[in-house]
Amino acid sequence: MSVTFSGPDGKPRCHWCAAAPELLAYHDREWGFPVDDDFRLFEKLCLEGFQAGLSWRTILAKRENFRAAFHGFDYNRIARFTQDDVARLLQDEGIVRHRGKIEAVINNAQRAIELANSEGSLAAYFWQFEPAPGELAAPQTASTSAGSIALSKVLKKQGWKFVGPTTMYAFMQAMGLVNDHAEGCIVRSEVDDSRRRFRAPGFG
C-alpha cells in the first residue's frame, strides 16, 4: 500500500489521514508541527495514554470533552483531583471511562509539576530527546526509537504511568520532535520549515 494518498485538493498526504475529514484536518494543521506549550505537551501525553487499545480517531472525536473534563489539561489543577473527581469522571460519557487511565492522568499531573519545577518547563525537558537526523528511521517505518525508549525509561523511573516507548514515539511524532510525514506528503516540507523556525534564536 502506498504511504500517501491524494487529498481532496489532489495533493499527496500521509495515507493514515484518509479515513476521515477530522483526521485530514489534524494531519494538515497539527501533526508533526513543533510544540513548546507545556499544557499542550501534557495533554498529548494524557491522550496517548487514553488511546492505548483504541484508535486516535476515537480519542480525537472526544478531545474537546477531555479538555473540558480535565480543565484544559492544566496539570496544576489536575494534580489536586481527589477520588470524588475520579468518580465524577467515571460517569462522564464524553470521555474514555477507564479508572486506571484517569488515575494515571492525576498521577502524571503531579509528576509534571515536579518535572517543571526541576527542569524549568516540560518543553525544556522533552525537547532534549529530539533525535539527531542520522538516528531516524525512514518515515513511518518505526513504532519506537532510541529517543522514545530513553524518554519512556526516565519518565517511568520518575513515577509516570502509561508512558511506554511506543506511546512516547507517537507523542514525539505528534509534537514535532520527529518529522514522520511520508516522503512526498505536502505537509512534510511545512513541518520542516516550522521546525527550523522553532530552533531559530528568539522563537516564541
Side-chain angles (χ1 to χ4, degrees):
M1 181 178 70
S2 172
V3 295
T4 62
F5 84 109
S6 293
D9 56 4
K11 296 178 180 179
R13 289 171 172 83
C14 299
H15 199 278
W16 61 262
C17 70
E22 61 269 26
L23 288 177
L24 181 67
Y26 173 72
H27 168 274
D28 283 5
R29 300 170 189 166
E30 295 186 55
W31 195 70
F33 288 91
V35 173
D36 66 352
D37 178 273
D38 279 6
F39 292 157
R40 283 191 61 197
L41 291 166
F42 183 70
E43 172 187 279
K44 185 59 176 172
L45 276 174
C46 295
L47 294 182
E48 287 294 342
F50 275 109
Q51 185 187 341
L54 303 170
S55 70
W56 175 242
R57 183 179 179 183
T58 296
I59 301 302
L60 186 61
K62 296 175 178 289
R63 183 165 65 171
E64 291 306 318
N65 297 331
F66 277 111
R67 286 172 172 170
F70 288 98
H71 302 304
F73 288 94
D74 179 343
Y75 48 79
N76 298 295
R77 298 181 66 179
I78 297 170
R80 299 193 296 269
F81 278 16
T82 67
Q83 284 302 309
D84 287 342
D85 292 295
V86 175
R88 168 181 59 83
L89 292 166
L90 286 170
Q91 298 301 314
D92 189 337
E93 296 181 356
I95 66 170
V96 174
R97 294 180 290 176
H98 184 292
R99 180 181 291 275
K101 294 177 180 181
I102 290 169
E103 291 180 342
V105 171
I106 300 169
N107 170 78
N108 291 350
Q110 296 163 357
R111 305 290 79 76
I113 291 173
E114 295 168 355
L115 185 59
N117 286 341
S118 65
E119 301 294 331
S121 68
L122 300 188
Y125 186 74
F126 291 141
W127 275 91
Q128 295 178 55
F129 292 85
E130 179 188 12
E135 298 173 355
L136 295 173
Q140 299 182 31
T141 61
S143 59
T144 64
S145 69
S148 76
I149 293 169
L151 179 56
S152 172
K153 184 176 180 179
V154 297
L155 290 181
K156 286 180 179 179
K157 187 174 181 179
Q158 294 170 15
W160 293 67
K161 298 179 179 179
F162 284 92
V163 289
T166 300
T167 297
M168 290 300 93
Y169 191 64
F171 167 79
M172 295 169 79
Q173 290 172 304
M175 297 289 96
L177 282 78
V178 173
N179 183 0
D180 218 28
H181 281 274
E183 297 290 351
C185 171
I186 61 163
V187 181
R188 183 174 178 84
S189 62
E190 294 179 26
V191 167
D192 278 339
D193 289 344
S194 184
R195 281 167 50 81
R196 280 192 289 271
R197 291 194 299 273
F198 181 81
R199 294 191 194 91
F203 178 86

